[in-house]
Every structure is written in structure tokens, then in C-alpha cells.
Amino acid sequence: MVNEIVWVYGSSAVGKETFIRKLADNPPMELIKRLGWENKKLVIIWESIDHLVNKDDSKGEKRKQILDKVLGNKGNDIVIIKGQDIDIVKKFPQLLKKKLPTYKHKIIQLYTDIEVVFERCKNKFWWDKKTTLEEFKGWLFYQIKLLSGLKGFEIIGINNENKKYEQIPFPPKF
């Protein structure tokens, strides 16, 4: 049995935390089967949800704790991490890949229609009201560029719009 480290990415407000909580509480069996996770224990790294990059942690120092937490969960079947762009910039997925070379290393990139997600962002407390849809698309393109640069990671696109979590090509078309 090969263990897996799975990073969940997607634009702000795409539903990463909701998706992870769904995996923890009531995982859709069809999705579990598609991902090959039947009869496997899923471990959520909750610190990846709690330690978000913001004004208090603009350099992502608290995000480093996620690495220790993952390494402390060696031996579990599937370890799920909510990813942020800074993790890729700081090479956290690559560091885990180097430290755990026998594991499969995957990325799930969630996608929901960009205009729907843009509207959701407008309700976030951190949202800058001056941000345009084009700027928002630029952030998503940046993330896709970062993800595309990861070598040796399987990247799975998942449509998060209807909560059926259908697999789509990566990168998504929008």
C-alpha cells in the first residue's frame, strides 16, 4: 500500500475548506472510488485550514507547522492539506515529496465557474472592493502556473460547482 499526500488548491472562495470538511465528515463514495481511496484512512491536516496567510502571517511562517504535522502523520493512508499559493512559492509540497519519496504526491485543483467564485469573494471580510474580475482571473492563472510547474505531482481537476465533484481536465478552461 502506498500512502498519499494530497494538496487541495483552487481560487479563493471555490470551496476548498467545504470540500475538505465533506471528506472528513461524509465523503461522497463515488468520489472516494474515483480517487482510489476505498478502505483507506483519510487524515486532515486541520492546521492547513487554521493557518491561512493573512496580515498576521504575511510571510507564511505558521504554514511551516503544516510540514511537521504531516511528517507526524506518517503511516496514514491519505493525508489531506488545504494548499495556498505561498506553500508552492516556499516549496512546501516539494519538501514533503523529498522527505517522503515513497508516497504518492497529488494535487486536487477545485474549479467553479470563475464569475460565481468572484461573486462569492465579494462577501469575504478580506475582499478589496476595487478588485476586478480580470485581476481575479490573473490570480487563478498565477496559481495554475505554479501548480503546472510542480514536477512529479499528479494533478487532478475537480468541478466543485454542483457538489458532484466530477473530474475535469487540468488546467480548467475558463
Side-chain angles (χ1 to χ4, degrees):
M1 174 177 14
V2 176
N3 299 354
E4 295 181 24
I5 304 293
V6 181
W7 294 80
V8 178
Y9 279 91
S11 68
S12 294
V14 76
K16 296 179 294 289
E17 182 175 342
T18 301
F19 176 78
I20 291 169
R21 289 188 185 282
K22 181 91 170 164
L23 288 174
D25 297 335
N26 187 21
M29 286 316 296
E30 187 176 310
L31 174 64
I32 295 298
K33 286 178 185 174
R34 270 186 285 151
L35 295 171
W37 295 351
E38 305 103 312
N39 303 315
K40 296 195 178 181
K41 181 180 178 188
L42 275 65
V43 173
I44 309 300
I45 303 299
W46 294 108
E47 288 81 355
S48 67
I49 291 172
D50 296 337
H51 299 321
L52 301 178
V53 175
N54 57 31
K55 293 176 187 171
D56 299 329
D57 189 27
S58 61
K59 297 195 185 333
E61 293 302 313
K62 287 183 180 179
R63 300 285 298 169
K64 285 183 188 175
Q65 295 173 16
I66 294 166
L67 301 177
D68 292 333
K69 191 70 175 182
V70 171
L71 293 171
N73 275 286
K74 283 197 287 191
N76 284 302
D77 298 336
I78 312 293
V79 178
I80 310 283
I81 307 163
K82 180 183 178 190
Q84 291 196 295
D85 294 348
I86 197 161
D87 298 329
I88 303 171
V89 171
K90 291 194 170 265
K91 302 190 181 312
F92 293 161
Q94 300 93 316
L95 287 169
L96 283 177
K97 190 170 187 326
K98 188 174 182 179
K99 289 182 183 261
L100 301 169
T102 61
Y103 281 53
K104 285 184 182 177
H105 293 267
K106 292 184 179 179
I107 305 287
I108 291 178
Q109 201 265 347
L110 295 180
Y111 177 78
T112 295
D113 181 84
I114 193 76
E115 286 149 2
V116 170
V117 176
F118 181 69
E119 289 301 315
R120 287 181 193 165
C121 279
K122 291 178 180 179
N123 296 319
K124 302 287 185 178
F125 73 91
W126 46 260
W127 184 250
D128 180 350
K129 305 285 187 231
K130 298 176 207 159
T131 304
T132 67
L133 178 59
E134 289 308 309
E135 288 172 311
F136 189 73
K137 284 181 183 179
W139 295 335
L140 184 54
F141 281 126
Y142 173 71
Q143 184 181 88
I144 288 169
K145 180 181 175 186
L146 290 174
L147 292 173
S148 297
L150 291 174
K151 303 296 180 223
F153 287 78
E154 178 184 353
I155 302 177
I156 301 165
I158 293 184
N159 183 338
N160 195 34
E161 285 184 64
N162 56 14
K163 304 298 184 243
K164 291 184 181 177
Y165 306 112
E166 296 160 333
Q167 196 161 333
I168 59 172
F170 175 84
K173 307 282 189 256
F174 55 93

